[in-house]
PDB file of all heavy atoms in Angstrom:
ATOM      1  N   ILE A 197       6.696   7.131  -6.851  1.00 98.00           N
ATOM      2  CA  ILE A 197       8.092   7.583  -6.686  1.00 98.00           C
ATOM      3  C   ILE A 197       8.074   9.070  -6.353  1.00 98.00           C
ATOM      4  O   ILE A 197       7.628   9.894  -7.159  1.00 98.00           O
ATOM      5  CB  ILE A 197       8.953   7.372  -7.951  1.00 98.00           C
ATOM      6  CG1 ILE A 197       8.745   5.994  -8.548  1.00 98.00           C
ATOM      7  CG2 ILE A 197      10.430   7.578  -7.611  1.00 98.00           C
ATOM      8  CD1 ILE A 197       9.540   5.767  -9.836  1.00 98.00           C
ATOM      9  N   ASP A 198       8.561   9.392  -5.164  1.00 98.00           N
ATOM     10  CA  ASP A 198       8.709  10.783  -4.748  1.00 98.00           C
ATOM     11  C   ASP A 198      10.132  11.193  -5.158  1.00 98.00           C
ATOM     12  O   ASP A 198      11.108  10.698  -4.587  1.00 98.00           O
ATOM     13  CB  ASP A 198       8.530  10.855  -3.220  1.00 98.00           C
ATOM     14  CG  ASP A 198       8.645  12.270  -2.688  1.00 98.00           C
ATOM     15  OD1 ASP A 198       8.131  13.191  -3.329  1.00 98.00           O
ATOM     16  OD2 ASP A 198       9.269  12.439  -1.622  1.00 98.00           O
ATOM     17  N   VAL A 199      10.223  12.058  -6.169  1.00 98.00           N
ATOM     18  CA  VAL A 199      11.553  12.401  -6.709  1.00 98.00           C
ATOM     19  C   VAL A 199      11.957  13.797  -6.239  1.00 98.00           C
ATOM     20  O   VAL A 199      11.312  14.785  -6.604  1.00 98.00           O
ATOM     21  CB  VAL A 199      11.551  12.374  -8.256  1.00 98.00           C
ATOM     22  CG1 VAL A 199      12.981  12.518  -8.768  1.00 98.00           C
ATOM     23  CG2 VAL A 199      10.924  11.099  -8.788  1.00 98.00           C
ATOM     24  N   LEU A 200      13.008  13.857  -5.447  1.00 98.00           N
ATOM     25  CA  LEU A 200      13.510  15.155  -4.990  1.00 98.00           C
ATOM     26  C   LEU A 200      14.184  15.834  -6.175  1.00 98.00           C
ATOM     27  O   LEU A 200      15.155  15.312  -6.734  1.00 98.00           O
ATOM     28  CB  LEU A 200      14.468  14.959  -3.818  1.00 98.00           C
ATOM     29  CG  LEU A 200      13.777  14.315  -2.607  1.00 98.00           C
ATOM     30  CD1 LEU A 200      14.784  13.785  -1.608  1.00 98.00           C
ATOM     31  CD2 LEU A 200      12.826  15.297  -1.952  1.00 98.00           C
ATOM     32  N   SER A 201      13.635  16.988  -6.556  1.00 98.00           N
ATOM     33  CA  SER A 201      14.004  17.604  -7.832  1.00 98.00           C
ATOM     34  C   SER A 201      14.115  19.116  -7.632  1.00 98.00           C
ATOM     35  O   SER A 201      13.127  19.838  -7.752  1.00 98.00           O
ATOM     36  CB  SER A 201      12.908  17.259  -8.855  1.00 98.00           C
ATOM     37  OG  SER A 201      13.106  17.943 -10.041  1.00 98.00           O
ATOM     38  N   PRO A 202      15.299  19.618  -7.281  1.00 98.00           N
ATOM     39  CA  PRO A 202      15.417  21.017  -6.851  1.00 98.00           C
ATOM     40  C   PRO A 202      14.913  22.049  -7.862  1.00 98.00           C
ATOM     41  O   PRO A 202      15.104  21.913  -9.063  1.00 98.00           O
ATOM     42  CB  PRO A 202      16.923  21.176  -6.633  1.00 98.00           C
ATOM     43  CG  PRO A 202      17.403  19.810  -6.319  1.00 98.00           C
ATOM     44  CD  PRO A 202      16.568  18.893  -7.173  1.00 98.00           C
ATOM     45  N   CYS A 203      14.265  23.080  -7.301  1.00 98.00           N
ATOM     46  CA  CYS A 203      13.867  24.258  -8.081  1.00 98.00           C
ATOM     47  C   CYS A 203      15.045  25.227  -8.032  1.00 98.00           C
ATOM     48  O   CYS A 203      15.309  25.846  -6.998  1.00 98.00           O
ATOM     49  CB  CYS A 203      12.625  24.890  -7.462  1.00 98.00           C
ATOM     50  SG  CYS A 203      12.222  26.493  -8.187  1.00 98.00           S
ATOM     51  N   ILE A 204      15.729  25.315  -9.133  1.00 97.00           N
ATOM     52  CA  ILE A 204      16.980  26.101  -9.180  1.00 97.00           C
ATOM     53  C   ILE A 204      16.702  27.587  -8.988  1.00 97.00           C
ATOM     54  O   ILE A 204      17.527  28.331  -8.474  1.00 97.00           O
ATOM     55  CB  ILE A 204      17.691  25.834 -10.532  1.00 97.00           C
ATOM     56  CG1 ILE A 204      19.167  26.218 -10.477  1.00 97.00           C
ATOM     57  CG2 ILE A 204      17.034  26.537 -11.690  1.00 97.00           C
ATOM     58  CD1 ILE A 204      20.040  25.112 -10.076  1.00 97.00           C
ATOM     59  N   THR A 205      15.500  28.008  -9.351  1.00 97.00           N
ATOM     60  CA  THR A 205      15.197  29.442  -9.326  1.00 97.00           C
ATOM     61  C   THR A 205      14.713  29.917  -7.955  1.00 97.00           C
ATOM     62  O   THR A 205      15.108  30.978  -7.492  1.00 97.00           O
ATOM     63  CB  THR A 205      14.136  29.767 -10.405  1.00 97.00           C
ATOM     64  OG1 THR A 205      14.666  29.353 -11.660  1.00 97.00           O
ATOM     65  CG2 THR A 205      13.801  31.251 -10.458  1.00 97.00           C
ATOM     66  N   PHE A 206      13.857  29.119  -7.287  1.00 97.00           N
ATOM     67  CA  PHE A 206      13.258  29.616  -6.043  1.00 97.00           C
ATOM     68  C   PHE A 206      13.635  28.832  -4.794  1.00 97.00           C
ATOM     69  O   PHE A 206      13.311  29.251  -3.686  1.00 97.00           O
ATOM     70  CB  PHE A 206      11.721  29.625  -6.173  1.00 97.00           C
ATOM     71  CG  PHE A 206      11.229  30.592  -7.199  1.00 97.00           C
ATOM     72  CD1 PHE A 206      10.687  30.142  -8.389  1.00 97.00           C
ATOM     73  CD2 PHE A 206      11.342  31.961  -6.995  1.00 97.00           C
ATOM     74  CE1 PHE A 206      10.247  31.035  -9.353  1.00 97.00           C
ATOM     75  CE2 PHE A 206      10.909  32.862  -7.951  1.00 97.00           C
ATOM     76  CZ  PHE A 206      10.364  32.403  -9.139  1.00 97.00           C
ATOM     77  N   ASN A 207      14.278  27.668  -4.924  1.00 97.00           N
ATOM     78  CA  ASN A 207      14.534  26.901  -3.704  1.00 97.00           C
ATOM     79  C   ASN A 207      15.880  26.174  -3.770  1.00 97.00           C
ATOM     80  O   ASN A 207      15.967  25.008  -3.404  1.00 97.00           O
ATOM     81  CB  ASN A 207      13.386  25.902  -3.453  1.00 97.00           C
ATOM     82  CG  ASN A 207      13.273  25.539  -1.984  1.00 97.00           C
ATOM     83  OD1 ASN A 207      13.913  26.157  -1.127  1.00 97.00           O
ATOM     84  ND2 ASN A 207      12.464  24.532  -1.688  1.00 97.00           N
ATOM     85  N   ASN A 208      16.893  26.918  -4.200  1.00 97.00           N
ATOM     86  CA  ASN A 208      18.229  26.314  -4.257  1.00 97.00           C
ATOM     87  C   ASN A 208      19.223  27.190  -3.498  1.00 97.00           C
ATOM     88  O   ASN A 208      20.419  27.151  -3.740  1.00 97.00           O
ATOM     89  CB  ASN A 208      18.661  26.158  -5.728  1.00 97.00           C
ATOM     90  CG  ASN A 208      19.785  25.156  -5.891  1.00 97.00           C
ATOM     91  OD1 ASN A 208      19.768  24.082  -5.297  1.00 97.00           O
ATOM     92  ND2 ASN A 208      20.795  25.508  -6.672  1.00 97.00           N
ATOM     93  N   HIS A 209      18.679  27.968  -2.552  1.00 96.00           N
ATOM     94  CA  HIS A 209      19.536  28.898  -1.802  1.00 96.00           C
ATOM     95  C   HIS A 209      20.229  28.173  -0.634  1.00 96.00           C
ATOM     96  O   HIS A 209      19.936  26.998  -0.353  1.00 96.00           O
ATOM     97  CB  HIS A 209      18.695  30.088  -1.302  1.00 96.00           C
ATOM     98  CG  HIS A 209      17.487  29.676  -0.520  1.00 96.00           C
ATOM     99  ND1 HIS A 209      17.508  29.512   0.834  1.00 96.00           N
ATOM    100  CD2 HIS A 209      16.216  29.353  -0.916  1.00 96.00           C
ATOM    101  CE1 HIS A 209      16.314  29.128   1.251  1.00 96.00           C
ATOM    102  NE2 HIS A 209      15.517  29.020   0.211  1.00 96.00           N
ATOM    103  N   ASN A 210      21.095  28.894   0.054  1.00 95.00           N
ATOM    104  CA  ASN A 210      21.947  28.262   1.069  1.00 95.00           C
ATOM    105  C   ASN A 210      21.190  27.636   2.229  1.00 95.00           C
ATOM    106  O   ASN A 210      21.638  26.656   2.815  1.00 95.00           O
ATOM    107  CB  ASN A 210      22.931  29.295   1.654  1.00 95.00           C
ATOM    108  CG  ASN A 210      23.984  29.639   0.635  1.00 95.00           C
ATOM    109  OD1 ASN A 210      24.167  28.902  -0.341  1.00 95.00           O
ATOM    110  ND2 ASN A 210      24.665  30.769   0.840  1.00 95.00           N
ATOM    111  N   GLU A 211      20.022  28.195   2.594  1.00 95.00           N
ATOM    112  CA  GLU A 211      19.280  27.682   3.754  1.00 95.00           C
ATOM    113  C   GLU A 211      18.259  26.609   3.379  1.00 95.00           C
ATOM    114  O   GLU A 211      17.594  26.063   4.244  1.00 95.00           O
ATOM    115  CB  GLU A 211      18.502  28.831   4.443  1.00 95.00           C
ATOM    116  CG  GLU A 211      19.295  30.085   4.732  1.00 95.00           C
ATOM    117  CD  GLU A 211      20.451  29.815   5.643  1.00 95.00           C
ATOM    118  OE1 GLU A 211      20.264  29.054   6.600  1.00 95.00           O
ATOM    119  OE2 GLU A 211      21.546  30.327   5.379  1.00 95.00           O
TER     120      GLU A 211
END
Side-chain angles (χ1 to χ4, degrees):
I197 314 178
D198 181 40
V199 189
L200 298 165
S201 173
C203 170
I204 199 91
T205 302
F206 295 109
N207 205 10
N208 199 44
H209 54 90
N210 288 343
E211 311 300 318

